[in-house]
Amino acid sequence: MDSSNQNDAANSCLQSTNPDAREQEDKEFLPGYKDVDAFVKYGLGSVLLATKASGGLPQAGDDFDFYRSFPGFQEFCEVQGDQLLLCMSQIMQHHNCRSRMRDRDKLTGLEERFDLVVDSNDVILEKVGILLDEADGVNRSQQPVMPAGFQPPKIVVSSWNRKGSGSGGRSGTFRLLQAKNIPRPQLKFKEKVDNSNTPFIPKIFIKPNALKPLPSYFTTKHIRKERPEDLDVPAALADLIHQQRTQEHIEYMFVHPYQFELDHLTVPDSLLAKTEPKMYKPLEETSYSFIETLEDLVALNEKLNEVSEFAVDLEHHSYRSFLGVTCLMQISTREQDFIIDTLELRTEMYILNEAFTNPSKVKVFHGADSDIEWLQRDLGLYVVNLFDTHQASRVLNLARNSLDHLLKHYCSVDSDKRYQLADWRIRPLPDEMAHYARSDTHYLLYIYDCMKAQLLDFNHGQPGLLQNVWNKSKNVCLKKYAKPIFTDESYLEVQKKQKRSFNTQQLAAFRLLFAWRDKLARQEDESTGYVLPTHMMIKISEELPKEPQGIIACCNPVPPLVRQQVNELHLVVQEAREMPLLKAEIAMQKPKGLIPIKKTEVTLFGPHDTSRVHECNEPHSSAVELPVKQGVLFTDDHPNSDTDVEKIRSLVASAKITLFEEPETKEIQESLSVAQIKARRIIESFENPFRMYLPSSGVHVNENAKFDPSSKIFEISKRWKLQSMEQQQRELESAKKAKEEAKKRAKKAAEERQKAKESYKESLQNVSTVRQKAIECAKVAGNKRERVPSEDGESTPKTSKKLKAAEKKKAKAPPQESFKPFDYSQSDLKVFSGSKSKDNSQFDPNRQSHNSKKKKMAGKKTGSESRSMSYLAGSSNRGFRHNWPKR
Ligand code: AMP
Ligand code: MN
Ligand code: ZN
């Protein structure tokens, strides 16, 4: 607790952040460190020690509880814990972050502290990103937003690094591989990227190794051209119309295409038995091919069909794209390494599904969580029969679970991490980067062998642990990619994390900036971090600059799109300034201890993270916590004496509901021409709440390749089709039969019901029941008190003064008995917004259908794991939040 009682780690942190120290020693970089390298070395050493030490602590649960029963241990933990918190607080303070780490009263616990740390990490890393760019000579404000011509890629070694790297060679230096003005690969994509605010729909249209055929929704996509209604209608609308026409179940579109196959996957005994690890070939002696043509890809597919296992990894870029792009796929067999240019072959990669979903071939990945999602999102690929070495490492309880640790442990290979943050869009791929990428998969099959043997040994030859790894890996395969969905409440999730008390104007600015950023990022296909980093957005919201120049001043360096659209932003800020000024602090208070922190889907920097937080079914907290709740006409909060909150609510809240037009009568519809009906349908579809479930752009089908009978793809497609056709036919027939039977049964039941009804009516005619009598009496006595039933639904449990006048008006209006709008106040509109719904039975395309058993425990875990650092700036991969536990 005493600040005098600092430990080494704390001291070194303080040293590193003390600017005075620098002036004292003019030669030394920092007192005691002659240059950056020396300091970094020391820093990394300390971090390593600390990490190791924390790994040695007794595990949470019984172990910890046992130790904790000794007062000595308890005291030691308290003291050390406080020191650590102090150290962290000081670092945060230095970076102007919220830093109430030790404030026991104000923080409810670990979770909030964790949030603070994550947020601070984000801020610090964003700053690091900016500084690295500056050191790099990148002045982004002077960069064109979109480079016009192609410039050859350059490997940039930042100046502060160059000094220290006299030794040359690989060791010691840390280089950021990045190229300036890389042509945007998105421009070359045959299928345009779909950044629309609609849920992701699987790209798959043909399903090899199917046990259950692909729903026809997917398989008929490629015959869209033949559908008459498509002729002059945008693809998305055509899909919608087609969908309504064929009455297909919307759920089909969001089911994991290989759910059934994965559910029915059993690991063959051969994979649970002990085998001798097969040594890898030295990397230098291994044949390597870079694959960038369809022909080569097809050849690779054939090769993969012949082996019984292969290793896979992906490289990804996220800074200059809204959703992120898969740049490379590495594949290693026992004999060969391949790197596939997934930017070039993006729309053809699906042919690898033949091997990837073949249950008798083992696919070895390390930490496949993100890969599984990227495969689905960009390449339409799925994996059946995965062995994830990261999962194995966890089951084996190894000291660390990163790939470089496994490489060191099993292969004595020092992995070269310099390229981790490289910009993987660079083409042609520099040799160094190819070498690094290869090493990610080259050793993996041998590591898989070793881990398998070890898992068996651990369990005295019993397959239990090994089976456990297969199961965990299968669960990774079941993950579904979910696109980040923007809702009117998205900004609150980010804003809440800031834990700053904004007044109404600031909050409004933040909300508007957030929407502006999301829209622009989708439109320009840039990450939100590239458009406007969160910390700058907060600065602007806090300052509410009166002039456009003030907005520029809040940003350093100024993001190109901010500079370009500063006038727009100025209007946004002005709009916020026009809000009535109220302190929002009261509104931020939440009932103590009642509402757990909601594990929200982080849509900010981690498009891939959205699927990670699914299991929890905590109550929605936003309505209680914050003044703005949109999308709900009337809140059902308990009456609150806090009139200020009420005031804010009535000032800020705006209902976002549009009631859909009443369906027209049949006669009117019939009098319309075909064109009119079509137009009407289109218009209606814009207001269809299910609109967002529908695809906005069709699944890409490489028409030429697929329908050209001479092409290899055609052949492959045919092969799969033939395989699944039979099955499909069988299923169709049995479904038909079942349907007919069900119809018959329903008809019978209806007839019987009708009969019963009639006989009941008959019996009633003669008898006047007690209730009828009572109703008649009541009618005579109190006509005045009678209420129109539809009013009930509209009355609000709690009305503010301002609303009351409006209510009175409403009450005077004559009740329309014939028109009964759907009562949206009762419905859970969240289901349309992509956030979690309280009611689990509600259909939610973003919900994982699996992993429900993990619920409570895992819900916590995933929540925290899914958050990590965001990176900003540079042309490297910084720019999104993700979970990087493995390297
Ligand atoms: P890996 O599986 O380690 O090869 O990583 C795959 C991709 O994840 C890389 O190409 C990066 O885009 C991203 N990535 C991995 N580690 C990090 C990290 N520490 N920070 C940011 N991005 C990372
Ligand atoms: Mn990987
Ligand atoms: Zn990799």
Side-chain angles (χ1 to χ4, degrees), residues 313-316 374 420-421 424 440 871 877 884 887:
D313 186 36
L314 301 177
E315 301 306 331
H316 183 262
W374 297 338
Q420 191 160 52
L421 297 180
W424 293 100
D440 269 357
Y871 293 80
N877 260 327
W884 309 118
R887 287 203 65 95

PDB file of all heavy atoms in Angstrom, residues 313-316 374 420-421 424 440 871 877 884 887, ligand 1:
ATOM      1  N   ASP A 313      -2.625 -21.928 -41.823  1.00  0.00           N
ATOM      2  CA  ASP A 313      -2.621 -20.671 -41.081  1.00  0.00           C
ATOM      3  C   ASP A 313      -3.012 -19.547 -42.040  1.00  0.00           C
ATOM      4  O   ASP A 313      -2.955 -19.711 -43.255  1.00  0.00           O
ATOM      5  CB  ASP A 313      -1.224 -20.408 -40.489  1.00  0.00           C
ATOM      6  CG  ASP A 313      -1.209 -19.182 -39.580  1.00  0.00           C
ATOM      7  OD1 ASP A 313      -2.212 -18.962 -38.870  1.00  0.00           O
ATOM      8  OD2 ASP A 313      -0.204 -18.443 -39.590  1.00  0.00           O
ATOM      9  N   LEU A 314      -3.435 -18.436 -41.480  1.00  0.00           N
ATOM     10  CA  LEU A 314      -3.813 -17.291 -42.302  1.00  0.00           C
ATOM     11  C   LEU A 314      -3.075 -16.045 -41.841  1.00  0.00           C
ATOM     12  O   LEU A 314      -2.728 -15.920 -40.668  1.00  0.00           O
ATOM     13  CB  LEU A 314      -5.317 -17.006 -42.183  1.00  0.00           C
ATOM     14  CG  LEU A 314      -6.311 -18.084 -42.577  1.00  0.00           C
ATOM     15  CD1 LEU A 314      -7.726 -17.598 -42.306  1.00  0.00           C
ATOM     16  CD2 LEU A 314      -6.147 -18.466 -44.034  1.00  0.00           C
ATOM     17  N   GLU A 315      -2.848 -15.133 -42.768  1.00  0.00           N
ATOM     18  CA  GLU A 315      -2.390 -13.794 -42.395  1.00  0.00           C
ATOM     19  C   GLU A 315      -3.449 -12.795 -42.835  1.00  0.00           C
ATOM     20  O   GLU A 315      -4.080 -12.953 -43.878  1.00  0.00           O
ATOM     21  CB  GLU A 315      -1.027 -13.480 -43.032  1.00  0.00           C
ATOM     22  CG  GLU A 315       0.090 -14.442 -42.644  1.00  0.00           C
ATOM     23  CD  GLU A 315       0.286 -14.611 -41.137  1.00  0.00           C
ATOM     24  OE1 GLU A 315      -0.002 -13.653 -40.390  1.00  0.00           O
ATOM     25  OE2 GLU A 315       0.711 -15.701 -40.721  1.00  0.00           O
ATOM     26  N   HIS A 316      -3.583 -11.764 -42.046  1.00  0.00           N
ATOM     27  CA  HIS A 316      -4.769 -10.919 -42.140  1.00  0.00           C
ATOM     28  C   HIS A 316      -4.378  -9.442 -42.042  1.00  0.00           C
ATOM     29  O   HIS A 316      -3.374  -9.102 -41.413  1.00  0.00           O
ATOM     30  CB  HIS A 316      -5.671 -11.312 -40.948  1.00  0.00           C
ATOM     31  CG  HIS A 316      -6.979 -10.612 -40.893  1.00  0.00           C
ATOM     32  ND1 HIS A 316      -7.178  -9.512 -40.090  1.00  0.00           N
ATOM     33  CD2 HIS A 316      -8.150 -10.868 -41.515  1.00  0.00           C
ATOM     34  CE1 HIS A 316      -8.441  -9.120 -40.228  1.00  0.00           C
ATOM     35  NE2 HIS A 316      -9.041  -9.929 -41.079  1.00  0.00           N
ATOM     36  N   TRP A 374     -12.410 -15.810 -40.336  1.00  0.00           N
ATOM     37  CA  TRP A 374     -11.911 -15.181 -41.568  1.00  0.00           C
ATOM     38  C   TRP A 374     -12.163 -16.083 -42.766  1.00  0.00           C
ATOM     39  O   TRP A 374     -12.493 -15.618 -43.858  1.00  0.00           O
ATOM     40  CB  TRP A 374     -10.409 -14.884 -41.440  1.00  0.00           C
ATOM     41  CG  TRP A 374     -10.077 -13.910 -40.358  1.00  0.00           C
ATOM     42  CD1 TRP A 374     -10.903 -12.988 -39.803  1.00  0.00           C
ATOM     43  CD2 TRP A 374      -8.816 -13.774 -39.680  1.00  0.00           C
ATOM     44  NE1 TRP A 374     -10.235 -12.290 -38.827  1.00  0.00           N
ATOM     45  CE2 TRP A 374      -8.953 -12.744 -38.736  1.00  0.00           C
ATOM     46  CE3 TRP A 374      -7.573 -14.426 -39.783  1.00  0.00           C
ATOM     47  CZ2 TRP A 374      -7.913 -12.342 -37.897  1.00  0.00           C
ATOM     48  CZ3 TRP A 374      -6.529 -14.007 -38.956  1.00  0.00           C
ATOM     49  CH2 TRP A 374      -6.696 -12.978 -38.016  1.00  0.00           C
ATOM     50  N   GLN A 420       5.283 -10.020 -37.388  1.00  0.00           N
ATOM     51  CA  GLN A 420       3.921 -10.217 -36.918  1.00  0.00           C
ATOM     52  C   GLN A 420       2.990  -9.081 -37.338  1.00  0.00           C
ATOM     53  O   GLN A 420       1.842  -9.308 -37.683  1.00  0.00           O
ATOM     54  CB  GLN A 420       3.912 -10.337 -35.405  1.00  0.00           C
ATOM     55  CG  GLN A 420       2.580 -10.801 -34.883  1.00  0.00           C
ATOM     56  CD  GLN A 420       2.707 -11.358 -33.498  1.00  0.00           C
ATOM     57  OE1 GLN A 420       3.254 -10.723 -32.603  1.00  0.00           O
ATOM     58  NE2 GLN A 420       2.242 -12.569 -33.329  1.00  0.00           N
ATOM     59  N   LEU A 421       3.520  -7.881 -37.292  1.00  0.00           N
ATOM     60  CA  LEU A 421       2.672  -6.743 -37.629  1.00  0.00           C
ATOM     61  C   LEU A 421       2.903  -6.247 -39.053  1.00  0.00           C
ATOM     62  O   LEU A 421       2.551  -5.135 -39.395  1.00  0.00           O
ATOM     63  CB  LEU A 421       2.900  -5.605 -36.636  1.00  0.00           C
ATOM     64  CG  LEU A 421       2.516  -5.945 -35.202  1.00  0.00           C
ATOM     65  CD1 LEU A 421       2.766  -4.770 -34.294  1.00  0.00           C
ATOM     66  CD2 LEU A 421       1.066  -6.381 -35.121  1.00  0.00           C
ATOM     67  N   TRP A 424       0.420  -7.467 -44.614  1.00  0.00           N
ATOM     68  CA  TRP A 424       0.398  -8.676 -45.439  1.00  0.00           C
ATOM     69  C   TRP A 424      -0.207  -8.463 -46.803  1.00  0.00           C
ATOM     70  O   TRP A 424      -0.346  -9.397 -47.587  1.00  0.00           O
ATOM     71  CB  TRP A 424      -0.309  -9.818 -44.684  1.00  0.00           C
ATOM     72  CG  TRP A 424       0.484 -10.262 -43.501  1.00  0.00           C
ATOM     73  CD1 TRP A 424       0.281  -9.925 -42.200  1.00  0.00           C
ATOM     74  CD2 TRP A 424       1.659 -11.085 -43.519  1.00  0.00           C
ATOM     75  NE1 TRP A 424       1.248 -10.487 -41.403  1.00  0.00           N
ATOM     76  CE2 TRP A 424       2.103 -11.214 -42.193  1.00  0.00           C
ATOM     77  CE3 TRP A 424       2.380 -11.727 -44.529  1.00  0.00           C
ATOM     78  CZ2 TRP A 424       3.231 -11.951 -41.837  1.00  0.00           C
ATOM     79  CZ3 TRP A 424       3.499 -12.468 -44.183  1.00  0.00           C
ATOM     80  CH2 TRP A 424       3.913 -12.577 -42.850  1.00  0.00           C
ATOM     81  N   ASP A 440       5.061 -20.554 -39.920  1.00  0.00           N
ATOM     82  CA  ASP A 440       3.842 -20.674 -39.109  1.00  0.00           C
ATOM     83  C   ASP A 440       3.160 -22.029 -39.285  1.00  0.00           C
ATOM     84  O   ASP A 440       2.422 -22.473 -38.401  1.00  0.00           O
ATOM     85  CB  ASP A 440       2.847 -19.557 -39.468  1.00  0.00           C
ATOM     86  CG  ASP A 440       3.054 -18.331 -38.600  1.00  0.00           C
ATOM     87  OD1 ASP A 440       3.913 -18.374 -37.698  1.00  0.00           O
ATOM     88  OD2 ASP A 440       2.367 -17.324 -38.837  1.00  0.00           O
ATOM     89  N   TYR A 871      -4.873  -1.412 -32.168  1.00  0.00           N
ATOM     90  CA  TYR A 871      -3.731  -0.720 -32.718  1.00  0.00           C
ATOM     91  C   TYR A 871      -4.232   0.312 -33.694  1.00  0.00           C
ATOM     92  O   TYR A 871      -5.171   0.082 -34.425  1.00  0.00           O
ATOM     93  CB  TYR A 871      -2.838  -1.690 -33.483  1.00  0.00           C
ATOM     94  CG  TYR A 871      -2.201  -2.684 -32.580  1.00  0.00           C
ATOM     95  CD1 TYR A 871      -2.903  -3.786 -32.134  1.00  0.00           C
ATOM     96  CD2 TYR A 871      -0.900  -2.486 -32.165  1.00  0.00           C
ATOM     97  CE1 TYR A 871      -2.319  -4.692 -31.313  1.00  0.00           C
ATOM     98  CE2 TYR A 871      -0.306  -3.397 -31.342  1.00  0.00           C
ATOM     99  CZ  TYR A 871      -1.019  -4.506 -30.911  1.00  0.00           C
ATOM    100  OH  TYR A 871      -0.432  -5.402 -30.091  1.00  0.00           O
ATOM    101  N   ASN A 877      -0.957  -3.788 -39.408  1.00  0.00           N
ATOM    102  CA  ASN A 877      -2.194  -4.439 -39.012  1.00  0.00           C
ATOM    103  C   ASN A 877      -2.816  -3.870 -37.774  1.00  0.00           C
ATOM    104  O   ASN A 877      -3.772  -4.405 -37.267  1.00  0.00           O
ATOM    105  CB  ASN A 877      -1.926  -5.916 -38.781  1.00  0.00           C
ATOM    106  CG  ASN A 877      -2.369  -6.695 -39.967  1.00  0.00           C
ATOM    107  OD1 ASN A 877      -3.334  -6.307 -40.615  1.00  0.00           O
ATOM    108  ND2 ASN A 877      -1.681  -7.755 -40.270  1.00  0.00           N
ATOM    109  N   TRP A 884      -5.234 -11.944 -29.002  1.00  0.00           N
ATOM    110  CA  TRP A 884      -3.996 -12.509 -29.550  1.00  0.00           C
ATOM    111  C   TRP A 884      -3.276 -13.300 -28.486  1.00  0.00           C
ATOM    112  O   TRP A 884      -2.234 -12.924 -27.997  1.00  0.00           O
ATOM    113  CB  TRP A 884      -3.068 -11.425 -30.068  1.00  0.00           C
ATOM    114  CG  TRP A 884      -3.734 -10.493 -30.987  1.00  0.00           C
ATOM    115  CD1 TRP A 884      -3.921  -9.169 -30.828  1.00  0.00           C
ATOM    116  CD2 TRP A 884      -4.326 -10.809 -32.255  1.00  0.00           C
ATOM    117  NE1 TRP A 884      -4.595  -8.648 -31.895  1.00  0.00           N
ATOM    118  CE2 TRP A 884      -4.863  -9.623 -32.775  1.00  0.00           C
ATOM    119  CE3 TRP A 884      -4.467 -11.992 -32.999  1.00  0.00           C
ATOM    120  CZ2 TRP A 884      -5.516  -9.574 -33.987  1.00  0.00           C
ATOM    121  CZ3 TRP A 884      -5.113 -11.936 -34.200  1.00  0.00           C
ATOM    122  CH2 TRP A 884      -5.627 -10.725 -34.678  1.00  0.00           C
ATOM    123  N   ARG A 887       0.615 -15.953 -30.067  1.00  0.00           N
ATOM    124  CA  ARG A 887       1.957 -15.880 -30.614  1.00  0.00           C
ATOM    125  C   ARG A 887       3.001 -15.569 -29.577  1.00  0.00           C
ATOM    126  O   ARG A 887       2.800 -14.764 -28.754  1.00  0.00           O
ATOM    127  CB  ARG A 887       2.020 -14.855 -31.723  1.00  0.00           C
ATOM    128  CG  ARG A 887       1.319 -15.365 -32.960  1.00  0.00           C
ATOM    129  CD  ARG A 887       1.838 -14.661 -34.161  1.00  0.00           C
ATOM    130  NE  ARG A 887       3.250 -15.004 -34.335  1.00  0.00           N
ATOM    131  CZ  ARG A 887       3.685 -15.972 -35.128  1.00  0.00           C
ATOM    132  NH1 ARG A 887       2.835 -16.658 -35.794  1.00  0.00           N
ATOM    133  NH2 ARG A 887       4.964 -16.246 -35.254  1.00  0.00           N
TER     134      ARG A 887
HETATM  135  P1  AMP B   1      -0.955 -15.564 -36.749  1.00  0.00           P
HETATM  136  O1  AMP B   1      -1.964 -16.632 -36.642  1.00  0.00           O
HETATM  137  O2  AMP B   1      -0.168 -15.369 -35.534  1.00  0.00           O
HETATM  138  O3  AMP B   1      -0.108 -15.710 -37.965  1.00  0.00           O
HETATM  139  O4  AMP B   1      -1.750 -14.230 -36.920  1.00  0.00           O
HETATM  140  C1  AMP B   1      -2.638 -14.043 -37.963  1.00  0.00           C
HETATM  141  C2  AMP B   1      -2.934 -12.574 -38.143  1.00  0.00           C
HETATM  142  O5  AMP B   1      -3.411 -12.056 -36.928  1.00  0.00           O
HETATM  143  C3  AMP B   1      -1.742 -11.721 -38.485  1.00  0.00           C
HETATM  144  O6  AMP B   1      -1.547 -11.622 -39.867  1.00  0.00           O
HETATM  145  C4  AMP B   1      -2.119 -10.388 -37.913  1.00  0.00           C
HETATM  146  O7  AMP B   1      -2.947  -9.711 -38.799  1.00  0.00           O
HETATM  147  C5  AMP B   1      -2.963 -10.730 -36.748  1.00  0.00           C
HETATM  148  N1  AMP B   1      -2.174 -10.671 -35.503  1.00  0.00           N
HETATM  149  C6  AMP B   1      -1.525 -11.679 -34.908  1.00  0.00           C
HETATM  150  N2  AMP B   1      -0.936 -11.295 -33.780  1.00  0.00           N
HETATM  151  C7  AMP B   1      -1.215  -9.984 -33.641  1.00  0.00           C
HETATM  152  C8  AMP B   1      -0.906  -9.007 -32.679  1.00  0.00           C
HETATM  153  N3  AMP B   1      -0.173  -9.268 -31.631  1.00  0.00           N
HETATM  154  N4  AMP B   1      -1.381  -7.769 -32.882  1.00  0.00           N
HETATM  155  C9  AMP B   1      -2.133  -7.467 -33.938  1.00  0.00           C
HETATM  156  N5  AMP B   1      -2.460  -8.349 -34.871  1.00  0.00           N
HETATM  157  C10 AMP B   1      -2.018  -9.586 -34.739  1.00  0.00           C
END
